[in-house]
């Protein structure tokens, strides 16, 4: 039995993930089996009810796969089963679950740096930015409630949320400051659970329903948390009905947030939905420039360009890289050069080294220009063939660490001077022919992601 239990435990942990496991399930104690019923024990009534409601089905199912004779799992509190004989708990620890609930209870402070002034606007985020500004200036404008911002990690969702909150809370309505409640969905959950535990849900509800603006960051964390979601849904409706503004962020659009209840999903999509797209080279460049300037450190354009080309994943990493350079420059009182950049960011750059191969580049380029892959190595010089070939060579130089002779070899054993010529020809065309530049940029982006 002990063995079965430890397997159930392991699978449970794998199923729910470390964080949830540590928060809720670590203190689960196996008590015994009577007939077709397993008894497990939790330290408090609150935990017993919570674990039963949230994980009861899963735990039962895991037991059944381990031991088909099991039909039910009974959840008890320690007090209710003092007599329980075999105690197969993990080594005793502090009441982790309760601590985890209590800890994040203080309100999330807003980051001073995340304002509209410090937000760099570019093509990928201009729409989201405009919507955020609009809501900040005139909360509860028709069509903008709720405002739903979504996009991948590090693209500026939290920054925009804080900017809205700063802007709004600097205003007054009827002589009183406008009240804004900003919190992550996780915080919302913890606060709600905490309220349940301390039997103060009414206070919690009233507190939230009294604000002028409710902002929930990273809503995707509510997925699978059914009763928190339910509570959020009611709060949401109450606030919208009372003419209050709601702002939500998530990593996906409402329609793509699978696992969210349909009625909530529908309501989330009812106002304005704005996405933050992946960054472009131009945006990354501007962000770096702005941040370097604010830090008061002179970063050569070449270094900025280098970083903007290399660190394409998200703005957070970009900023992290710049911060390291700035710290280094300050510490050693040295001017920043390409050499320092390479040296200081060695590990980051390595992680970002694009794994794209010359073959991949050739394939993409051929698809794009609709020519056969064999033309990459052929001797034909017709413009409609030669130009794509040059583009492929150019991209190979830009996106891989291969040498010119190496690249030449992949293109029908051409000489390195041919590759060099291709690179300078394409560079020149990018400067003079906007449509061509767009083509190359598109290809680069497709290859980079
Ligand atoms: P998300 O919440 O989408 O994961 P954040 O808002 O936390 O991303 O942004 C990550 C970091 O990148 C923050 O330090 C933020 O200030 C910065 N950042 C993101 N987008 C921009 C932007 N457009 N202008 C300036 N800084 C930005
Ligand atoms: Mg965020």
């Amino acid at each position: 039995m002990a063995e079965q239990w430890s397997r159930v435990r392991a699978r449970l942990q794998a199923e729910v993930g470390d964080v949830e496991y540590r928060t809720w399930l670590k203190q689960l104690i196996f008590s015994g089996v009577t007939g077709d019923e397993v008894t497990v024990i939790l330290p408090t009534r609150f935990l017993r009810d919570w674990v039963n409601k949230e994980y009861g089905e899963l735990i039962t199912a895991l037991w059944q796969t381990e031991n088909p004779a099991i039909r039910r799992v009974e959840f008890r509190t320690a007090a209710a089963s003092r007599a329980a004989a075999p105690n197969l708990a993990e080594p005793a620890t502090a009441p982790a679950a309760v601590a985890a609930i209590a800890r994040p209870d203080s309100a999330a402070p807003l980051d001073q740096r995340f304002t509209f002034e410090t937000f760099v606007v570019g093509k990928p985020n201009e729409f989201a930015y405009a919507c955020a500004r609009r809501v900040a200036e005139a909360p509860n404008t028709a069509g903008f409630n709720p405002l739903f911002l979504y996009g991948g990690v590090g693209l500026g969702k939290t920054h925009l949320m804080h900017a809205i909150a700063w802007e709004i809370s600097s205003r007054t309505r009827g002589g009183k400051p406008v009240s804004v409640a900003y919190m992550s969905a996780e915080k919302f959950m913890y606060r709600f659970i905490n309220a349940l535990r301390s039997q103060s849900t009414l206070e919690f509800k009233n507190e939230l329903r009294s604000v002028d603006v409710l902002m929930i960051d990273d809503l995707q964390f509510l997925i699978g948390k059914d009763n928190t979601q339910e509570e959020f849904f009611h709060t949401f409706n109450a606030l919208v009905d009372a003419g209050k503004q709601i702002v939500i962020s998530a990593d996906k659009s409402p329609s793509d947030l699978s696992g969210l209840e349909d009625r909530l999903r529908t309501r989330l999509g009812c106002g304005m939905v704005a996405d933050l797209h992946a960054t472009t080279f131009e945006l990354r460049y501007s962000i770096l420039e702005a941040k370097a300037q604010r830090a008061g450190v002179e970063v050569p354009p070449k270094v900025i360009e280098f970083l903007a080309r290399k660190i394409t994943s998200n703005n957070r990493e970009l900023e992290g890289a710049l911060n390291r350079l700035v710290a280094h420059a300050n510490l050693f009182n040295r001017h920043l050069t390409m050499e320092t950049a390479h040296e200081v960011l060695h590990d980051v750059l390595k992680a970002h080294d694009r794994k794209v191969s010359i073959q991949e580049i050739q394939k993409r380029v051929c698809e794009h220009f609709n020519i056969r892959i064999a033309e990459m190595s052929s001797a034909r010089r017709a413009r409609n063939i030669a130009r794509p070939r040059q583009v492929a060579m150019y991209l190979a130089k830009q996106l891989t660490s291969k040498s010119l002779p190496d690249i030449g070899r992949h293109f029908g054993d051409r000489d390195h001077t041919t590759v060099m010529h291709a690179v300078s020809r394409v560079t020149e065309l990018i400067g003079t022919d906007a449509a061509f530049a767009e083509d190359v940029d598109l290809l680069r982006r497709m290859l980079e992601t």
Side-chain angles (χ1 to χ4, degrees):
M1 269 304 164
E3 258 174 50
Q4 286 184 5
W5 170 234
S6 76
R7 279 196 296 270
V8 168
R9 221 182 221 305
R11 295 191 50 186
L12 186 60
Q13 183 164 11
E15 199 76 33
V16 303
D18 284 344
V19 175
E20 283 191 37
Y21 180 80
R22 256 185 283 120
T23 312
W24 306 116
L25 300 163
K26 198 163 180 245
Q27 296 183 84
L28 209 57
I29 296 171
F30 171 73
S31 168
V33 180
T34 341
D36 60 1
E37 187 177 280
V38 168
T39 306
V40 293
I41 301 173
L42 284 143
T44 64
R45 265 181 45 216
F46 163 73
L47 272 175
R48 178 199 64 193
D49 296 343
W50 179 259
V51 169
N52 189 3
K53 183 154 198 314
E54 294 292 326
Y55 304 102
E57 270 179 31
L58 176 62
I59 294 171
T60 312
L62 290 176
W63 262 109
Q64 279 169 345
T65 48
E66 199 49 62
N67 180 348
I70 303 296
R71 289 265 165 275
R72 260 172 49 76
V73 176
E74 170 81 10
F75 292 85
R76 291 209 193 131
T77 57
S81 44
R82 284 259 151 68
N87 184 339
L88 304 173
E90 287 184 356
T93 50
V98 177
I101 306 162
R103 216 181 323 109
D105 199 36
S106 60
L110 297 173
D111 193 314
Q112 299 266 3
R113 297 164 306 162
F114 293 176
T115 62
F116 282 124
E117 286 64 45
T118 58
F119 191 82
V120 179
V121 186
K123 268 244 148 39
N125 60 26
E126 61 188 3
F127 182 65
Y129 172 82
C131 293
R133 268 236 110 109
R134 179 71 180 273
V135 164
E137 269 146 32
N140 198 26
T141 302
F144 284 83
N145 201 13
L147 171 61
F148 190 100
L149 301 169
Y150 75 94
V153 175
L155 297 182
K157 300 181 296 293
T158 298
H159 189 137
L160 275 184
M161 299 276 276
H162 286 209
I164 296 174
W166 281 121
E167 183 77 23
I168 293 184
S169 49
S170 71
R171 284 154 203 270
T172 53
R173 183 192 268 177
K176 282 198 307 185
V178 180
S179 61
V180 181
Y182 165 88
M183 65 188 95
S184 67
E186 270 175 314
K187 169 69 74 54
F188 181 91
M189 179 179 91
Y190 282 124
R191 291 201 50 189
F192 172 57
I193 290 163
N194 205 23
L196 281 180
R197 188 172 59 101
S198 60
Q199 296 176 337
S200 58
T201 43
L202 200 64
E203 284 94 320
F204 177 70
K205 282 181 215 263
N206 288 341
E207 187 193 324
L208 282 182
R209 284 167 207 201
S210 70
V211 301
D212 297 310
V213 182
L214 176 66
M215 309 181 77
I216 303 285
D217 206 354
D218 288 322
L219 188 83
Q220 69 272 11
F221 287 119
L222 285 196
I223 288 173
K225 315 290 187 318
D226 290 349
N227 34 16
T228 311
Q229 216 183 101
E230 174 92 16
E231 179 61 27
F232 174 70
F233 180 71
H234 293 307
T235 309
F236 182 100
N237 288 336
L239 285 169
V240 171
D241 289 345
K244 310 292 181 64
Q245 175 75 44
I246 308 234
V247 185
I248 305 286
S249 88
D251 62 349
K252 296 197 191 68
S253 72
S255 51
D256 287 338
L257 278 175
S258 54
L260 218 55
E261 253 187 88
D262 282 343
R263 53 180 189 168
L264 177 56
R265 199 210 315 272
T266 309
R267 294 223 64 171
L268 289 173
C270 271
M272 183 58 70
V273 177
D275 61 342
L276 291 128
H277 297 273
T279 59
T280 57
F281 169 73
E282 287 73 25
L283 181 60
R284 293 194 293 273
Y285 193 101
S286 316
I287 289 178
L288 286 170
E289 219 175 20
K291 302 224 163 180
Q293 199 185 19
R294 205 162 308 115
V297 171
E298 221 168 293
V299 184
K302 251 191 114 73
V303 172
I304 293 200
E305 174 176 349
F306 172 69
L307 293 182
R309 284 227 184 281
K310 278 285 187 181
I311 304 177
T312 54
S313 49
N314 68 57
N315 298 331
R316 189 171 301 151
E317 284 204 46
L318 197 62
E319 197 177 355
L322 182 71
N323 287 343
R324 270 169 68 178
L325 280 186
V326 168
H328 190 86
N330 286 337
L331 198 59
F332 295 103
N333 204 5
R334 274 204 285 176
H335 283 300
L336 282 176
T337 59
M338 284 294 272
E339 285 67 48
T340 1
H342 273 289
E343 196 184 301
V344 175
L345 301 174
H346 171 76
D347 50 340
V348 187
L349 295 173
K350 209 164 126 200
H352 280 267
D353 242 350
R354 298 186 194 97
K355 306 278 188 310
V356 52
S357 65
I358 296 184
Q359 284 83 354
E360 240 176 292
I361 294 173
Q362 293 179 329
K363 184 166 162 283
R364 282 285 188 167
V365 169
C366 288
E367 278 166 12
H368 185 78
F369 292 101
N370 206 15
I371 61 174
R372 291 181 310 125
I373 193 91
E375 304 289 12
M376 288 286 123
S377 315
S378 80
R380 288 179 59 192
R381 289 156 153 264
R383 168 87 76 85
N384 65 329
I385 305 287
R387 187 72 82 227
R389 196 188 291 132
Q390 288 179 326
V391 169
M393 289 184 197
Y394 167 88
L395 288 170
K397 179 73 191 110
Q398 293 263 317
L399 302 182
T400 73
S401 50
K402 296 274 189 291
S403 67
L404 294 175
D406 233 4
I407 294 172
R409 271 192 282 284
H410 283 82
F411 290 82
D413 251 338
R414 283 179 159 80
D415 193 66
H416 77 275
T417 53
T418 310
V419 181
M420 222 152 71
H421 173 72
V423 172
S424 56
R425 185 74 189 115
V426 170
T427 309
E428 191 186 316
L429 279 171
I430 286 175
T432 55
D433 182 342
F436 179 78
E438 220 165 85
D439 261 7
V440 176
D441 194 48
L442 182 75
L443 277 164
R444 181 215 306 282
R445 264 184 284 145
M446 284 195 314
L447 286 159
E448 273 176 355
T449 49

